Amino acid sequence: DAGVIQSPRHEVTEMGQEVTLRCKLISGHNSLFWYRQTMMRGLELLIYFNNNVPIDDSGMPEDRFSAKMPNASFSTLKIQPSEPRDSAVYFCASSLRNQPQHFGDGTRLSIL
Amino acid sequence: RKEVEQDPGPFNVPEGATVAFNCTYSNSASQSFFWYRQDCRKEPKLLMSVYSSGNEDGRFTAQLNRASQYISLLIRDSKLSDSATYLCVVKIQGAQKLVFGQGTRLTINP
Protein backbone atom coordinates (compact mmCIF):
# COMPACT_ATOMS: atom_id res chain seq x y z
CA ASP A 1 0.00 0.00 0.00
CA ALA A 2 1.21 3.49 -0.79
CA GLY A 3 1.91 5.70 2.18
CA VAL A 4 1.17 9.40 2.48
CA ILE A 5 2.47 11.08 -0.67
CA GLN A 6 3.69 14.66 -0.60
CA SER A 7 4.84 16.86 -3.44
CA PRO A 8 7.09 18.51 -4.23
CA ARG A 9 9.92 16.98 -2.19
CA HIS A 10 11.91 20.18 -2.42
CA GLU A 11 10.96 23.72 -3.35
CA VAL A 12 13.15 26.78 -3.61
CA THR A 13 11.47 30.04 -4.50
CA GLU A 14 11.83 33.76 -4.04
CA MET A 15 10.00 35.64 -1.36
CA GLY A 16 6.65 36.99 -2.44
CA GLN A 17 5.86 33.99 -4.62
CA GLU A 18 2.90 31.70 -3.99
CA VAL A 19 3.81 28.23 -2.76
CA THR A 20 1.47 25.23 -2.95
CA LEU A 21 2.26 22.01 -1.12
CA ARG A 22 0.29 18.87 -1.88
CA CYS A 23 -0.61 15.77 0.06
CA LYS A 24 -2.37 12.52 -0.81
CA LEU A 25 -3.73 10.59 2.16
CA ILE A 26 -3.44 6.87 2.67
CA SER A 27 -6.50 5.24 1.12
CA GLY A 28 -9.26 4.86 3.71
CA HIS A 29 -7.84 7.37 6.17
CA ASN A 30 -10.19 10.16 7.20
CA SER A 31 -7.96 12.53 9.20
CA LEU A 32 -5.32 14.78 7.72
CA PHE A 33 -2.68 16.79 9.57
CA TRP A 34 -0.27 19.47 8.34
CA TYR A 35 2.90 20.04 10.39
CA ARG A 36 5.89 22.35 10.08
CA GLN A 37 9.33 21.48 11.44
CA THR A 38 12.18 23.89 12.11
CA MET A 39 15.32 23.65 14.22
CA MET A 40 14.11 26.41 16.52
CA ARG A 41 10.52 25.34 17.09
CA GLY A 42 10.53 21.61 16.40
CA LEU A 43 7.47 19.92 14.94
CA GLU A 44 4.33 22.05 15.15
CA LEU A 45 0.79 21.21 14.09
CA LEU A 46 -0.59 23.80 11.69
CA ILE A 47 -4.07 22.45 10.99
CA TYR A 48 -5.99 19.20 10.90
CA PHE A 49 -9.11 17.92 9.15
CA ASN A 50 -11.57 15.17 9.93
CA ASN A 51 -13.68 13.93 7.02
CA ASN A 52 -12.60 16.94 4.92
CA VAL A 53 -13.69 19.44 7.60
CA PRO A 54 -11.06 21.67 9.31
CA ILE A 55 -11.20 20.97 13.02
CA ASP A 56 -8.34 22.97 14.50
CA ASP A 57 -6.41 25.65 12.60
CA SER A 58 -5.01 27.39 15.66
CA GLY A 59 -1.48 26.52 14.57
CA MET A 60 -1.72 28.33 11.24
CA PRO A 61 0.73 31.20 11.70
CA GLU A 62 -0.91 33.91 9.64
CA ASP A 63 -3.51 34.68 7.02
CA ARG A 64 -0.84 34.06 4.42
CA PHE A 65 -1.34 30.35 5.13
CA SER A 66 -4.40 28.43 3.95
CA ALA A 67 -5.24 24.74 3.68
CA LYS A 68 -7.97 22.91 1.85
CA MET A 69 -9.27 19.41 1.30
CA PRO A 70 -11.10 19.46 -2.03
CA ASN A 71 -11.83 15.75 -1.64
CA ALA A 72 -11.38 12.93 0.85
CA SER A 73 -7.96 11.88 -0.39
CA PHE A 74 -6.15 15.11 -1.19
CA SER A 75 -5.10 18.32 0.53
CA THR A 76 -3.16 21.47 -0.30
CA LEU A 77 -1.32 23.93 1.92
CA LYS A 78 -0.82 27.32 0.30
CA ILE A 79 1.44 30.18 1.36
CA GLN A 80 0.81 33.50 -0.34
CA PRO A 81 2.91 35.59 -0.29
CA SER A 82 5.84 33.52 0.97
CA GLU A 83 8.52 34.95 3.28
CA PRO A 84 12.03 33.69 4.19
CA ARG A 85 10.82 32.78 7.71
CA ASP A 86 8.46 30.25 6.15
CA SER A 87 11.49 28.11 5.23
CA ALA A 88 11.02 24.75 6.94
CA VAL A 89 10.13 21.12 6.32
CA TYR A 90 6.38 20.70 5.94
CA PHE A 91 4.95 17.29 6.77
CA CYS A 92 1.55 15.90 6.04
CA ALA A 93 0.19 12.96 8.07
CA SER A 94 -2.97 10.92 7.86
CA SER A 95 -4.78 8.54 10.15
CA LEU A 96 -7.98 6.58 10.54
CA ARG A 97 -9.93 7.95 13.52
CA ASN A 98 -7.71 7.54 16.61
CA GLN A 99 -5.19 5.19 15.03
CA PRO A 100 -1.51 6.28 14.81
CA GLN A 101 -0.62 8.98 12.33
CA HIS A 102 1.46 8.11 9.29
CA PHE A 103 3.71 10.82 7.94
CA GLY A 104 4.70 11.64 4.38
CA ASP A 105 8.32 12.24 3.39
CA GLY A 106 7.88 15.99 3.79
CA THR A 107 8.47 19.01 1.57
CA ARG A 108 11.69 20.90 2.19
CA LEU A 109 10.83 24.56 1.49
CA SER A 110 13.38 27.33 1.09
CA ILE A 111 12.25 30.90 0.56
CA LEU A 112 15.06 33.17 -0.61
CA ARG B 1 6.55 26.63 29.31
CA LYS B 2 6.40 24.07 26.50
CA GLU B 3 3.64 21.45 26.66
CA VAL B 4 6.14 18.63 26.18
CA GLU B 5 9.73 19.05 27.30
CA GLN B 6 12.71 16.89 26.49
CA ASP B 7 16.44 17.16 26.95
CA PRO B 8 17.62 17.88 23.38
CA GLY B 9 20.94 16.13 23.95
CA PRO B 10 22.94 15.19 22.01
CA PHE B 11 23.57 11.89 23.74
CA ASN B 12 26.65 10.09 22.49
CA VAL B 13 26.96 6.55 23.81
CA PRO B 14 29.03 3.51 22.82
CA GLU B 15 27.44 0.60 21.05
CA GLY B 16 26.03 -1.91 23.52
CA ALA B 17 25.36 0.65 26.23
CA THR B 18 21.99 1.29 27.86
CA VAL B 19 20.57 4.77 27.40
CA ALA B 20 17.47 6.42 28.87
CA PHE B 21 15.55 9.52 27.86
CA ASN B 22 13.00 11.41 29.87
CA CYS B 23 10.15 13.67 28.94
CA THR B 24 7.71 15.76 30.98
CA TYR B 25 4.31 17.07 29.92
CA SER B 26 2.33 19.93 31.39
CA ASN B 27 -1.28 19.18 30.48
CA SER B 28 -2.90 16.89 33.05
CA ALA B 29 -5.63 16.09 30.49
CA SER B 30 -3.06 14.24 28.40
CA GLN B 31 -4.46 10.82 27.63
CA SER B 32 -2.20 8.99 25.22
CA PHE B 33 1.57 8.90 24.98
CA PHE B 34 4.00 7.81 22.33
CA TRP B 35 7.62 7.72 21.33
CA TYR B 36 8.39 8.54 17.71
CA ARG B 37 11.73 8.14 16.01
CA GLN B 38 13.03 10.51 13.33
CA ASP B 39 16.10 9.77 11.25
CA CYS B 40 18.09 12.60 9.70
CA ARG B 41 16.15 14.24 6.86
CA LYS B 42 13.32 11.73 7.18
CA GLU B 43 9.78 11.76 8.51
CA PRO B 44 8.83 10.86 12.10
CA LYS B 45 7.79 7.25 12.58
CA LEU B 46 5.94 5.69 15.49
CA LEU B 47 8.36 3.71 17.67
CA MET B 48 5.94 2.63 20.40
CA SER B 49 2.94 3.67 22.41
CA VAL B 50 3.37 4.14 26.17
CA TYR B 51 0.92 2.43 28.50
CA SER B 52 0.21 3.15 32.14
CA SER B 53 1.66 -0.15 33.29
CA GLY B 54 4.82 0.32 31.25
CA ASN B 55 5.57 -1.72 28.17
CA GLU B 56 8.44 -3.35 26.39
CA ASP B 57 9.20 -3.97 22.74
CA GLY B 58 12.41 -5.91 22.32
CA ARG B 59 15.27 -3.73 23.54
CA PHE B 60 12.95 -0.76 24.13
CA THR B 61 11.07 -0.13 27.38
CA ALA B 62 8.65 2.76 27.91
CA GLN B 63 7.35 3.96 31.27
CA LEU B 64 4.65 6.43 32.24
CA ASN B 65 4.25 8.18 35.58
CA ARG B 66 0.95 10.06 35.51
CA ALA B 67 1.38 11.54 38.99
CA SER B 68 4.65 13.20 38.00
CA GLN B 69 3.58 13.73 34.35
CA TYR B 70 6.73 12.02 33.20
CA ILE B 71 7.50 9.54 30.40
CA SER B 72 10.69 7.61 29.81
CA LEU B 73 12.28 5.48 27.13
CA LEU B 74 15.05 2.97 27.85
CA ILE B 75 17.12 1.39 25.11
CA ARG B 76 19.18 -1.64 26.08
CA ASP B 77 22.13 -3.08 24.15
CA SER B 78 22.13 -0.07 21.82
CA LYS B 79 22.94 -0.58 18.14
CA LEU B 80 24.46 1.78 15.61
CA SER B 81 21.08 1.81 13.85
CA ASP B 82 19.45 3.31 16.96
CA SER B 83 21.10 6.64 16.12
CA ALA B 84 18.21 9.04 15.52
CA THR B 85 16.15 11.75 17.17
CA TYR B 86 13.56 10.44 19.63
CA LEU B 87 10.38 12.48 19.93
CA CYS B 88 8.14 12.34 22.97
CA VAL B 89 4.51 12.78 21.89
CA VAL B 90 1.34 13.43 23.85
CA LYS B 91 -2.32 13.40 22.87
CA ILE B 92 -4.85 15.37 24.88
CA GLN B 93 -8.10 13.70 25.92
CA GLY B 94 -10.88 14.38 23.44
CA ALA B 95 -8.60 15.75 20.76
CA GLN B 96 -6.84 14.10 17.85
CA LYS B 97 -3.91 16.45 17.68
CA LEU B 98 -0.49 15.24 18.76
CA VAL B 99 1.88 17.51 20.65
CA PHE B 100 5.53 16.78 19.96
CA GLY B 101 8.54 17.47 22.15
CA GLN B 102 11.63 18.99 20.57
CA GLY B 103 13.28 15.60 20.41
CA THR B 104 16.41 14.06 21.92
CA ARG B 105 19.24 13.39 19.55
CA LEU B 106 21.04 10.10 20.09
CA THR B 107 24.26 8.95 18.43
CA ILE B 108 25.55 5.42 19.00
CA ASN B 109 29.30 5.21 18.46
CA PRO B 110 31.13 2.06 17.32
Side-chain angles (χ1 to χ4, degrees), chain A residues 22-40:
Chain A
R22 295 173 176 80
C23 175
K24 185 173 186 301
L25 285 68
I26 291 174
S27 177
H29 283 191
N30 63 341
S31 297
L32 180 282
F33 305 81
W34 280 105
Y35 292 89
R36 177 171 70 175
Q37 187 173 37
T38 61
M39 287 290 290
M40 290 294 294

Side-chain angles (χ1 to χ4, degrees), chain A residues 31 33 35 37 39-43 45 48 50 56 58 91 95 97-98 100-101 103-105 108, chain B residues 2 34 36 38 40-46 49 87 91 94-102 105:
Chain A
S31 297
F33 305 81
Y35 292 89
Q37 187 173 37
M39 287 290 290
M40 290 294 294
R41 300 173 67 92
L43 197 61
L45 179 68
Y48 80 92
N50 273 352
D56 183 348
S58 58
F91 287 105
S95 71
R97 295 189 200 93
N98 286 318
Q101 294 178 22
F103 283 74
D105 290 339
R108 201 164 288 274
Chain B
K2 290 184 181 160
F34 310 91
Y36 274 68
Q38 187 172 23
C40 190
R41 301 179 79 83
K42 297 280 191 180
E43 76 277 19
K45 289 184 180 175
L46 178 66
S49 301
L87 300 161
K91 190 154 99 171
Q96 269 188 276
K97 62 186 277 185
L98 298 179
V99 181
F100 285 78
Q102 284 274 81
R105 208 161 106 214

Side-chain angles (χ1 to χ4, degrees), chain B residues 30-100:
Chain B
S30 300
Q31 181 183 40
S32 305
F33 309 90
F34 310 91
W35 284 100
Y36 274 68
R37 172 195 167 125
Q38 187 172 23
D39 292 292
C40 190
R41 301 179 79 83
K42 297 280 191 180
E43 76 277 19
K45 289 184 180 175
L46 178 66
L47 177 66
M48 59 195 300
S49 301
V50 186
Y51 302 118
S52 297
S53 53
N55 49 298
E56 199 172 291
D57 183 0
R59 298 180 292 108
F60 298 82
T61 301
Q63 298 273 356
L64 168 64
N65 184 323
R66 285 190 187 270
S68 303
Q69 296 187 185
Y70 166 102
I71 305 158
S72 67
L73 177 69
L74 182 83
I75 307 174
R76 287 184 302 278
D77 187 25
S78 53
K79 312 286 184 199
L80 297 177
S81 57
D82 294 334
S83 298
T85 295
Y86 289 84
L87 300 161
C88 177
V89 184
V90 164
K91 190 154 99 171
I92 311 299
Q93 186 173 15
Q96 269 188 276
K97 62 186 277 185
L98 298 179
V99 181
F100 285 78

Side-chain angles (χ1 to χ4, degrees), chain A residues 5-100:
Chain A
I5 299 171
Q6 290 188 245
S7 64
R9 290 294 302 276
H10 304 271
E11 172 121 3
V12 181
T13 193
E14 291 185 345
M15 66 177 290
Q17 298 296 308
E18 179 178 290
V19 172
T20 300
L21 310 181
R22 295 173 176 80
C23 175
K24 185 173 186 301
L25 285 68
I26 291 174
S27 177
H29 283 191
N30 63 341
S31 297
L32 180 282
F33 305 81
W34 280 105
Y35 292 89
R36 177 171 70 175
Q37 187 173 37
T38 61
M39 287 290 290
M40 290 294 294
R41 300 173 67 92
L43 197 61
E44 302 173 288
L45 179 68
L46 300 177
I47 184 171
Y48 80 92
F49 296 80
N50 273 352
N51 299 315
N52 303 9
V53 176
I55 302 299
D56 183 348
D57 65 354
S58 58
M60 294 286 261
E62 298 170 33
D63 291 347
R64 297 185 297 107
F65 285 68
S66 61
K68 291 183 181 176
M69 276 198 79
N71 59 57
S73 60
F74 182 74
S75 176
T76 58
L77 177 68
K78 198 167 284 193
I79 309 172
Q80 165 64 17
S82 57
E83 296 182 7
R85 62 192 166 121
D86 301 332
S87 299
V89 182
Y90 289 80
F91 287 105
C92 172
S94 74
S95 71
L96 177 61
R97 295 189 200 93
N98 286 318
Q99 298 299 308

